[in-house]
């Protein structure tokens, strides 16, 4: 957990006086409430909390949270977050971005904050469309998505945010969706992680990409379409009242995951694997599972901490400066110097 003394707050303490302005029915409302409910539960302090955002619908977030906030420029929120954290490592930094802001113009910056492992929470709202700029296809839009910039359907193959994060060296990767009751638990796990915690949140854009996630996010049939991962527990999904319980097994001959039926609750006999959040290879496989034959893998996919960027950088500074005292005059006089006299410079 971040090195701060927990304090008692309520949801109301985290609601700013700004009118929340997203389209009626936008999934961002649900995400905002999930974050505002989570912050008191983790003992966060508004005086030590900073929300940083780039550009896009999601990036209005800092206005609506009663804490410090920084609404920055398109795709560059990670650079600002890095500066904030290095200036004051005790601050609890949350970075809010979208699939366009974080993976298009900001893809380079997202990659570097992940590989550096800055201690912060990165919430990437993925609605698979550019909402604020009126519905163009985004880096995560599916093949065939019709939009003002692809009127007969996008031919771009979509990026997968969680796969991108794993490939960039992220040490914590999770997924959730806007109206899920499980989202708060995912946010808590991200906050408890020491390092860059990347959370992809599927978010319904009611205007330009309505119900694109209904195939797995709709309440009806959710048990059969969602695989909520729990560390140390078997990967099971389904509802015994509506169909057989199923699980995810590893085909060791071909090194890929497959769906298996679980008979009489004996998941071990079916070969169902137990989720291990430190297993990076399985995390990659879970991210790559095609929805349809497989459920959507949600929750914490990967969590394996390592020393954070600011710990190592500031620790290096302390080592280099140990036993030394600051002397500006000595620094300025170091190296080749000369004295300017009336007759010209005297070397």
């Amino acid at each position: 957990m971040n090195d701060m003394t927990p304090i008692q707050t309520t949801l109301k303490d985290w609601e700013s006086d700004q009118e929340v302005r997203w389209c009626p029915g936008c999934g961002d409302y649900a995400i905002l409430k999930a974050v505002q409910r989570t912050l008191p539960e983790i003992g966060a302090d508004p005086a030590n909390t900073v929300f940083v955002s780039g550009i896009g619908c999601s990036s209005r977030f800092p206005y609506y949270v009663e804490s410090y906030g920084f609404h920055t420029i398109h795709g560059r929120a990670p650079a600002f977050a890095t500066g904030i954290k290095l200036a004051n490592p005790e601050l609890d930094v949350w970075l809010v971005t979208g699939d366009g802001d974080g993976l298009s113009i900001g893809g380079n910056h997202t990659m570097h904050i992940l590989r550096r492992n800055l201690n912060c929470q990165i919430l990437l709202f993925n609605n698979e469309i550019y909402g604020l700029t009126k519905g163009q296809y985004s880096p995560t839009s599916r093949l065939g998505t019709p939009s003002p910039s692809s009127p007969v359907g996008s031919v771009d193959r979509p990026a997968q945010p969680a796969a991108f994060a794993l490939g960039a060296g992220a040490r914590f990767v999770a997924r959730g969706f806007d109206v899920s009751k499980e989202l708060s638990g995912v946010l808590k796990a991200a906050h408890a992680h020491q390092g860059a915690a990347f959370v992809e949140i599927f978010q319904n854009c009611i205007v330009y990409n309505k119900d694109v996630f209904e195939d797995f996010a709709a309440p009806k049939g959710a048990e059969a379409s969602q695989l909520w991962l729990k560390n140390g527990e078997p990967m099971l999904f389904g509802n015994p009242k509506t169909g057989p319980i199923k699980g995810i097994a590893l085909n060791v001959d071909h090194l890929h995951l497959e769906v298996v039926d679980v008979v009489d609750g004996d998941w071990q006999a079916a070969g169902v694997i137990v989720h291990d959040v430190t297993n990076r290879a399985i995390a990659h496989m879970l991210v790559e599972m095609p929805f349809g034959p497989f459920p959507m893998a949600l929750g914490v996919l990967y969590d394996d901490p390592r020393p954070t960027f600011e710990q190592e950088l500031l620790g290096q500074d302390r080592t280099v400066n140990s036993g030394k005292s600051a002397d500006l005059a000595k620094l300025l006089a170091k190296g080749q110097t000369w004295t300017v006299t009336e007759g010209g410079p005297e070397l």
Side-chain angles (χ1 to χ4, degrees):
M1 195 173 203
N2 293 287
D3 297 327
M4 297 167 207
T5 303
I7 70 164
Q8 288 190 340
T9 59
T10 66
L11 183 149
K12 290 290 184 185
D13 293 320
W14 293 94
E15 295 178 338
S16 77
D17 61 0
Q18 299 297 298
E19 178 188 357
V20 182
R21 299 182 64 184
W22 285 305
C23 300
C26 175
D28 287 355
Y29 287 98
I31 301 172
L32 174 63
K33 282 301 175 189
V35 171
Q36 289 172 328
R37 289 191 183 100
T38 301
L39 290 165
E41 293 176 7
I42 60 178
D45 183 351
N48 286 325
T49 303
V50 185
F51 278 83
V52 186
S53 67
I55 297 296
C57 297
S58 63
S59 293
R60 298 183 185 196
F61 217 86
Y63 296 107
Y64 307 142
V65 182
E66 187 60 27
S67 68
Y68 290 104
F70 206 153
H71 188 181
T72 72
I73 53 181
H74 209 351
R76 272 61 175 182
F80 287 85
T82 301
I84 291 166
K85 193 69 178 180
L86 291 179
N88 187 350
E90 296 305 311
L91 292 175
D92 190 8
V93 177
W94 296 73
L95 195 157
V96 180
T97 185
D99 46 302
D101 181 64
L103 293 178
S104 184
I105 189 170
N108 183 46
H109 291 266
T110 303
M111 177 186 73
H112 290 306
I113 198 170
L114 291 171
R115 72 171 182 82
R116 284 173 173 155
N117 200 36
L118 189 82
N119 192 19
C120 64
Q121 295 73 239
I122 304 164
L123 311 183
L124 187 140
F125 297 11
N126 182 12
N127 56 20
E128 297 188 0
I129 208 77
Y130 277 105
L132 189 66
T133 50
K134 307 300 182 279
Q136 300 92 335
Y137 76 90
S138 83
T140 60
S141 296
R142 302 177 193 187
L143 281 168
T145 299
S147 77
S149 56
S150 56
V152 294
S154 169
V155 297
D156 279 10
R157 296 195 177 277
Q160 294 193 46
F164 171 86
L166 285 166
R171 309 299 298 189
F172 180 101
V173 179
R175 289 199 298 207
F177 61 93
D178 46 17
V179 296
S180 170
K181 294 179 181 178
E182 303 274 359
L183 182 56
S184 181
V186 173
L187 296 173
K188 289 176 185 175
H191 187 262
H193 176 84
Q194 282 290 318
F198 182 88
V199 183
E200 177 187 5
I201 306 174
F202 297 108
Q203 176 257 322
N204 187 29
C205 178
I206 197 75
V207 175
Y208 298 111
N209 215 14
K210 185 180 178 182
D211 297 338
V212 72
F213 303 117
E214 278 295 280
D215 48 4
F216 71 85
K220 187 176 181 180
E223 298 93 342
S225 59
Q226 299 171 13
L227 171 65
W228 281 98
L229 299 160
K230 305 288 184 184
N231 190 40
E233 296 185 13
M235 298 184 189
L236 299 171
F237 63 99
N239 186 337
K241 296 180 181 178
T242 58
I245 292 294
K246 295 180 179 293
I248 302 297
L250 176 64
N251 184 315
V252 294
D253 293 327
H254 301 286
L255 289 180
H256 64 74
L257 300 179
E258 56 188 18
V259 175
V260 295
D261 290 327
V262 177
V263 180
D264 297 328
D266 193 348
W267 58 268
Q268 291 171 307
V272 176
I273 56 178
V274 172
H275 185 43
D276 176 4
V277 292
T278 65
N279 191 321
R280 191 181 192 86
I282 294 295
H284 272 284
M285 292 183 185
L286 290 167
V287 167
E288 299 287 347
M289 289 193 311
F291 181 76
F294 290 90
M296 178 59 68
L298 300 163
V300 179
L301 296 130
Y302 181 64
D303 183 0
D304 190 13
R306 70 177 180 193
T308 67
F309 178 64
E310 68 274 17
Q311 283 175 337
E312 296 198 315
L313 186 62
L314 297 175
Q316 185 183 70
D317 287 348
R318 284 191 294 271
T319 300
V320 170
N321 295 324
S322 178
K324 299 178 182 177
S325 57
D327 188 336
L328 181 59
K330 184 179 179 180
L331 177 64
L332 293 174
K334 186 178 179 181
Q336 188 181 45
T337 63
W338 62 89
T339 304
V340 178
T341 64
E342 236 178 86
E346 182 180 302
L347 297 179

